[in-house]
């Protein structure tokens, strides 16, 4: 019976994968072009790392995961995250596991943690403390574990050089720091200087990651944060264009960082994934009808009310809670990142980056 259920699930799953993927994606490669994927970042990519952390930033309860096979796992959406779907596109049979309970780390792990940011301070208002910096420190521990498994430092190094690295960080430096109602950071920095600060820190993190052997590194830009339900509700139905403008300063600098000839990082292949660009056409492309309201009833902090009943037509909503897109949008974003054109990924989309020698 268990076998039958599993088989049924697998075939339904394969059917869905086959039927829901846009036709420009030519199905899974038989063998992934990279041996593993490591994910760093925030709730966009968190797949359960916050579950045991003392933070308000959690998604391990219903209705999160309502459309996910395993239910609420700590993913901040109703179903799969962008990185889950990318792993499938890349040909992995399983999603990349959260570092906190990964049984098998040989295809990489995911360190992403909701509410975390580039700056140590960002997200502390919610209690979280799995910053980008801390995630890198934990990566160091993973590398020791891998060396024990692989038997030699050389083999581990070669593996790490071939893997794909995805970074989705920066949103919370705006959401849970600069644009908090009361923010010392905002008093200290203009948006330009703040973007400079973030990029300086970010490039240091990338240098550390590179030192750990990373070569193929995808830097995800930020979306139009000023248009999330959280802000639209506070500003009488319109986007906070001041926030969008500040985020654009960050994105422009991040894109430049990914595209500058980097003499200090020999053999590094960085790329910038333009999430704003990729998501700009998604609402009309998917025929979404609700783009400024959360699908689930939300708490004051913007997360779903525990055990609440979300909207039924989830494939018509852009947002699941006040911050995070629905699965249907994540799927479209993953498809976009995988096969992006030169306006939306520079210099490489995910497919090309993964296939580079
Ligand atoms: C988070 O911070 C608390 C209190 O400072 C600490 O006890 C805990 O170990 C930290 N967790 C992580 C994952 O760093
Ligand atoms: C929203 O509308 C209310 C009432 O019309 C007004 O007092 C408030 O300033 C508006 N807020 C914003 C951010 O526009
Ligand atoms: C990303 O895409 C948007 C929308 O197409 C475009 O305006 C912007 O210049 C692109 N590049 C960056 C770095 O965001
Ligand atoms: C999103 O993609 C996943 C993985 O390919 C699939 O299982 C799911 O059905 C898709 N969801 C939607 C709403 O298209």
């Amino acid at each position: 019976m268990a076998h039958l259920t599993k088989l049924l699930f697998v075939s339904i799953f394969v059917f869905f994968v086959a039927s829901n993927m846009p036709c420009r994606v030519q199905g899974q490669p038989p063998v992934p072009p990279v041996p593993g994927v490591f994910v760093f970042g925030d709730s966009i990519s968190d797949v359960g790392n916050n579950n045991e952390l003392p933070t308000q930033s959690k998604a391990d309860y219903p209705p999160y995961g309502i459309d996910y096979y395993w239910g609420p796992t700590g993913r901040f959406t109703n179903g799969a995250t962008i990185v889950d779907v990318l792993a499938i596109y890349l040909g992995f049979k399983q999603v990349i596991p959260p570092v906190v309970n990964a049984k098998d780390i040989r295809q990489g792990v995911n360190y992403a943690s909701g509410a975390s940011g580039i700056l140590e301070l960002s997200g502390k208002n919610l209690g979280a403390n799995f910053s980008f910096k801390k995630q890198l420190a934990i990566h160091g521990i993973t590398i020791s574990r891998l060396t024990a498994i692989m038997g030699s430092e050389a083999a581990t190094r070669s593996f790490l050089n071939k893997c794909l690295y995805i970074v989705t960080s920066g949103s919370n430096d705006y959401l849970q720091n600069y644009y908090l109602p009361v923010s010392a950071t905002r008093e200290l920095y203009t948006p330009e200087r703040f973007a400079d600060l973030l990029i300086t820190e970010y490039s240091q993190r990338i240098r550390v990651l590179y030192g750990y052997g990373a070569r193929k590194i995808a830097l995800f830009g930020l979306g139009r944060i000023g248009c999330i339900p959280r802000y639209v509700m506070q500003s009488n139905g319109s986007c906070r264009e001041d926030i969008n403008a500040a985020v654009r300063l960050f994105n422009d600098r991040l894109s430049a960082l990914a595209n500058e000839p980097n003499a200090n990082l020999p053999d590094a292949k960085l790329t910038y994934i333009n999430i704003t660009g990729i998501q700009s056409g998604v609402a009309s492309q998917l025929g979404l009808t609700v783009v400024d309201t959360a699908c689930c009833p939300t708490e004051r902090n913007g997360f779903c009310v525990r055990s609440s009943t979300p909207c039924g037509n989830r494939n018509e909503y852009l947002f699941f809670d006040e911050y995070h897109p629905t699965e249907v949008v994540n799927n479209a974003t993953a498809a976009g990142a995988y096969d992006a054109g030169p306006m939306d990924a520079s210099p490489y989309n995910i497919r090309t980056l993964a296939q580079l020698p």
Side-chain angles (χ1 to χ4, degrees), residues 134-152:
K134 198 164 264 172
Q135 293 174 33
L136 284 164
I138 300 169
H139 187 47
I141 300 170
T142 301
I143 293 174
S144 312
R145 291 169 65 194
L146 282 169
T147 309
I149 294 168
M150 295 189 176
S152 80

Side-chain angles (χ1 to χ4, degrees), residues 42 117-119 132 167-174 179 190-203 219-223 225 242-258 272-273 275-276:
D42 50 29
I118 299 163
L119 303 182
F132 189 1
V167 184
T168 68
S169 195
S171 297
N172 290 315
D173 297 288
Y174 289 94
Y179 283 108
T190 62
E192 283 81 7
R193 295 245 355 261
F194 187 59
D196 289 339
L197 170 72
L198 293 180
I199 294 298
T200 302
E201 294 284 324
Y202 201 122
S203 65
L219 311 179
F220 279 51
L222 311 186
I225 294 173
D242 58 327
I243 298 183
N244 287 337
V247 164
R248 201 170 309 129
L249 298 171
F250 172 83
N251 282 342
D252 287 345
R253 284 160 176 74
L254 188 62
S255 168
L257 176 70
Y272 173 75
I273 303 297
I275 293 296
T276 298

Side-chain angles (χ1 to χ4, degrees), residues 52-314:
E52 305 300 328
L53 271 190
T55 172
Q56 288 181 44
S57 178
K58 280 182 194 291
D60 57 349
Y61 59 86
Y64 289 107
I66 186 169
D67 298 312
Y68 197 61
Y69 181 72
W70 304 103
T73 53
R75 286 167 170 79
F76 289 81
T77 182
N78 55 310
T81 64
I82 296 171
V83 290
D84 292 326
V85 182
L86 280 175
I88 295 171
Y89 277 105
L90 288 164
F92 290 94
K93 301 286 176 282
Q94 263 121 35
V95 299
I96 306 304
V99 68
V100 293
N101 63 12
K103 287 177 196 70
D104 186 355
I105 62 172
R106 289 170 304 172
Q107 295 184 325
V109 287
N110 180 327
Y111 305 100
S113 167
S116 76
I118 299 163
L119 303 182
E120 292 294 290
L121 183 67
S122 303
K124 283 279 159 50
N125 51 307
L126 296 172
N129 52 12
F130 242 162
S131 63
F132 189 1
K133 196 174 195 173
K134 198 164 264 172
Q135 293 174 33
L136 284 164
I138 300 169
H139 187 47
I141 300 170
T142 301
I143 293 174
S144 312
R145 291 169 65 194
L146 282 169
T147 309
I149 294 168
M150 295 189 176
S152 80
E153 276 179 22
T156 309
R157 192 78 185 173
S158 153
F159 167 79
L160 292 168
N161 287 167
K162 290 187 208 123
C163 286
L164 174 67
Y165 298 79
I166 294 175
V167 184
T168 68
S169 195
S171 297
N172 290 315
D173 297 288
Y174 289 94
L175 280 163
Q176 305 298 350
N177 186 343
Y178 196 84
Y179 283 108
L180 285 174
V182 178
S183 165
T185 312
R186 196 167 63 240
E187 283 174 19
L188 280 171
Y189 295 94
T190 62
E192 283 81 7
R193 295 245 355 261
F194 187 59
D196 289 339
L197 170 72
L198 293 180
I199 294 298
T200 302
E201 294 284 324
Y202 201 122
S203 65
Q204 282 169 11
R205 307 282 184 279
I206 297 305
R207 205 170 295 275
V208 172
L209 187 57
Y210 175 88
Y212 280 135
R215 294 298 177 268
K216 299 178 177 184
I217 310 173
L219 311 179
F220 279 51
L222 311 186
R224 281 164 53 84
I225 294 173
C227 298
I228 61 174
R230 180 106 187 130
Y231 290 133
V232 171
M233 284 158 61
Q234 288 167 6
S235 44
N236 299 336
S238 47
C239 296
R240 285 277 305 266
E241 292 303 344
D242 58 327
I243 298 183
N244 287 337
V247 164
R248 201 170 309 129
L249 298 171
F250 172 83
N251 282 342
D252 287 345
R253 284 160 176 74
L254 188 62
S255 168
L257 176 70
N259 285 278
E260 76 191 10
N262 217 319
N264 297 325
L265 310 177
D267 290 330
K269 290 132 191 146
L270 302 184
T271 196
Y272 173 75
I273 303 297
N274 186 344
I275 293 296
T276 298
I278 290 168
Q279 290 183 339
S280 64
V282 157
S284 59
Q285 194 185 306
L286 296 173
L288 305 181
T289 54
V290 188
V291 299
D292 55 4
T293 310
C295 164
C296 70
T298 49
E299 296 279 5
R300 279 174 61 107
N301 62 15
F303 296 100
C304 295
V305 173
R306 202 168 274 272
S307 301
S308 59
T309 306
C311 65
N313 50 341
R314 291 182 285 283

